[in-house]
Amino acid sequence: MGALGFRAGDPVTVRATEVDHHHRTPWFVKGKSGKVRRVHGAFFNPESRAHGGDGLPKRRLCQVEFQQRDIWGARYRGNSDDVLLVDLFEHWLEPAKP
Amino acid sequence: MTDEHPPLHHAERSRRAARILAIRQLLIEKGVVTADELDDIIVRARTRTPADGAKVVARAWLDEAFRERLLTDARAAVGDLGYQLSHDAELAVVENTADVHHLVICTLCSCYPTSLLGPPPDWYKSFAYRQRAVIEPRAVLREFGLELADSVRLRVVDSTADVRYLVLPRRPPGTQGMGEDALAELVTRDSMIGVAEARSRAAA
Amino acid sequence: MPAVHDRGGLPTDQPIDRSDHQWEDWEHVTNALVGVLRRRDLINVDELRRGIEAMAPDEYESSSYYERWSASIETLLVEKGVLTEAEIDAVAAKLDSEWGR
């Protein structure tokens, strides 16, 4: 599979890269840190397929759990242990600094 | 279908109506698509209901082994019940418990488990839902009439990519002894998105 | 500044309108075209989403759900050389005049 290879439990940070092309990483998780909860498997890369590419190599899709308070800060209206799960492609993730 | 007269108030019709109907006509004339295959999809879209999703939930309530399989390998589990998911989308099932409640959303567009639930409701695709459900989910649930206890953790799931999420709602109390079909009738579309609980026996 | 389609957490006071509208004929056609064009591998869903996301922000925000999808279908079919704007314009104009617009 390659050097990447996040597993459930891994702490990760979402890359905050600005890109112009189609991608499926919502703005509110860019630069935020959470924990991989589940790895769904490998899928065609939508960033390639959206622009005429073949979507290869496939990328693994990780379900990442974030604390709502970490995403929104004081703006979050809810309980302190509420969470947000977002499916993110592995190439948007890097290991979180401890 | 295009033999039907356009609705009376065609001045109010979207300007896109003529363009997409023109595209349909041109694609048929050029042999790119056929009228029949378009009409097949239209008939199915008109008749699809969330019944398949409800049956999956009812089976999970009755069959522990199925429930566990559903949570770890949803495609295989629903496949065993005879449901064919579309080839390009994966399915994941998230389970509500006494301690955790799930709410599903697609902030980027409208990803939804259409294979099991039929087309999504307008509100699911609306800007208001897409904008608010991630940042103030408890207020959104309140609008739908669902007040979560403080002790319940809320997990909002943003289905951003190939995986479509189905909520496995809690089995309502007082439903012991009910058969699968009767249980399925308690399972609403909204309970499988997470904006409602399944119906109680009394309300059904 | 997030792109116009990237809407999670954007501020709004709007309540959730829970009414469901009955789809018009052209909305059914849009939905069906998405299905058939994808099935025939002429357009993939990532391209369709990209087409929607490329709309001018004010057009995106003032368009309904199926208006966005139908605009993207048109963008992609023209981009791929399956149809031309001119022929779409011509047939659309004819339909509009039949409807007395």
Side-chain angles (χ1 to χ4, degrees):
Chain A
M1 216 297 306
L4 300 167
F6 296 109
R7 290 173 308 186
D10 286 349
V12 292
T13 301
V14 182
R15 297 183 196 277
T17 333
E18 291 301 321
V19 298
D20 283 334
H21 59 261
H22 172 76
H23 62 291
R24 299 295 286 181
T25 304
W27 72 275
F28 50 85
V29 295
K30 288 179 181 172
K32 303 294 186 184
S33 297
K35 193 175 296 207
V36 175
R37 218 167 149 270
R38 182 179 167 152
V39 179
H40 291 299
F43 297 88
F44 289 114
N45 186 349
E47 296 170 47
S48 154
R49 298 228 317 160
H51 299 276
D54 60 7
L56 299 173
K58 283 190 174 181
R59 299 294 194 185
R60 296 208 310 173
L61 188 63
C62 300
Q63 185 192 77
V64 181
E65 178 175 295
F66 302 88
Q67 300 301 309
Q68 286 279 35
R69 294 238 178 259
D70 288 345
I71 303 285
W72 310 110
R75 286 178 62 207
Y76 180 68
R77 281 165 266 174
N79 290 14
S80 58
D81 56 358
D82 286 349
V83 296
L84 180 57
L85 303 187
V86 184
D87 286 341
L88 297 165
F89 283 98
E90 61 187 349
H91 59 284
W92 277 91
L93 304 174
E94 49 196 18
K97 303 198 184 354
Chain B
M1 191 262 11
T2 45
D3 296 335
E4 288 171 18
H5 296 294
L8 283 175
H9 307 289
H10 33 252
E12 288 158 23
R13 258 150 87 71
S14 167
R15 60 170 289 277
R16 296 239 46 102
R19 298 195 74 77
I20 202 67
L21 293 176
I23 288 170
R24 174 191 179 279
Q25 181 179 313
L26 289 162
L27 291 177
I28 291 171
E29 280 168 11
K30 291 171 189 276
V32 177
V33 305
T34 69
D36 281 348
E37 61 186 339
L38 291 174
D39 287 345
D40 274 349
I41 294 181
I42 291 173
V43 165
R44 265 187 284 136
R46 286 193 202 279
T47 56
R48 290 297 307 284
T49 72
D52 290 345
K55 290 194 191 101
V56 168
V57 169
R59 174 62 66 95
W61 286 344
L62 289 173
D63 183 339
E64 177 64 22
F66 176 77
R67 178 189 142 279
E68 282 180 15
R69 192 136 184 255
L70 193 61
L71 297 177
T72 52
D73 188 349
R75 173 180 282 272
V78 307
D80 286 350
L81 289 190
Y83 296 116
Q84 278 284 57
L85 301 176
S86 54
H87 67 280
D88 55 345
E90 204 44 83
L91 180 70
V93 177
V94 286
E95 181 185 36
N96 287 353
T97 68
D99 306 311
V100 182
H101 185 94
H102 294 84
L103 177 64
V104 178
I105 180 175
C106 177
T107 60
L108 297 175
C109 53
S110 58
C111 303
Y112 186 80
T114 303
S115 294
L116 290 176
L117 297 186
D122 287 349
W123 58 259
Y124 184 87
K125 303 182 279 193
S126 70
F127 291 167
Y129 185 72
R130 286 165 59 191
Q131 289 172 219
R132 294 180 51 210
V134 280
I135 190 171
E136 48 171 11
R138 287 179 184 262
V140 168
L141 290 180
R142 217 168 278 131
E143 256 183 69
F144 277 89
L146 179 53
E147 187 74 43
L148 282 190
D150 282 345
S151 58
V152 176
R153 164 183 290 193
L154 181 51
R155 272 198 203 126
V156 175
V157 186
D158 192 0
S159 38
T160 47
D162 301 73
V163 178
R164 304 284 173 273
Y165 284 89
L166 186 83
V167 174
L168 175 54
R170 298 184 65 197
R171 179 172 177 174
T175 58
Q176 295 77 19
M178 283 176 75
E180 200 169 301
D181 288 346
L183 284 171
E185 286 184 21
L186 302 179
V187 185
T188 60
R189 174 200 66 196
D190 285 0
S191 69
M192 292 183 280
I193 301 171
V195 293
E197 309 270 25
R199 292 205 291 233
S200 70
R201 189 171 192 166
Chain C
M1 232 359 252
V4 70
H5 69 284
D6 196 353
R7 303 196 75 83
L10 299 187
T12 178
D13 292 326
Q14 285 267 48
I16 314 252
D17 176 1
R18 293 163 63 183
S19 63
D20 248 322
H21 85 289
Q22 192 162 33
W23 293 8
E24 294 186 47
D25 58 344
W26 67 270
E27 292 179 309
H28 271 292
V29 167
T30 301
N31 183 66
L33 279 171
V34 169
V36 173
L37 293 171
R38 286 179 66 185
R39 197 165 63 205
R40 285 173 175 268
D41 279 325
L42 286 165
I43 308 182
N44 68 58
V45 72
D46 306 298
E47 290 173 315
L48 282 167
R49 290 180 184 140
R50 185 258 297 168
I52 292 173
E53 291 159 18
M55 291 173 85
D58 56 354
E59 199 193 340
Y60 181 97
E61 292 193 329
S62 61
S63 296
S64 69
Y65 181 78
Y66 281 110
E67 284 174 339
R68 299 197 291 270
W69 281 94
S70 63
S72 186
I73 288 170
E74 180 170 338
T75 299
L76 266 307
L77 289 173
V78 169
E79 182 181 293
K80 289 167 181 283
V82 177
L83 297 178
T84 67
E85 287 292 358
E87 58 189 340
I88 299 171
D89 285 345
V91 177
K94 197 154 151 299
L95 289 173
D96 272 336
S97 75
E98 281 169 19
W99 299 339
R101 281 162 74 124

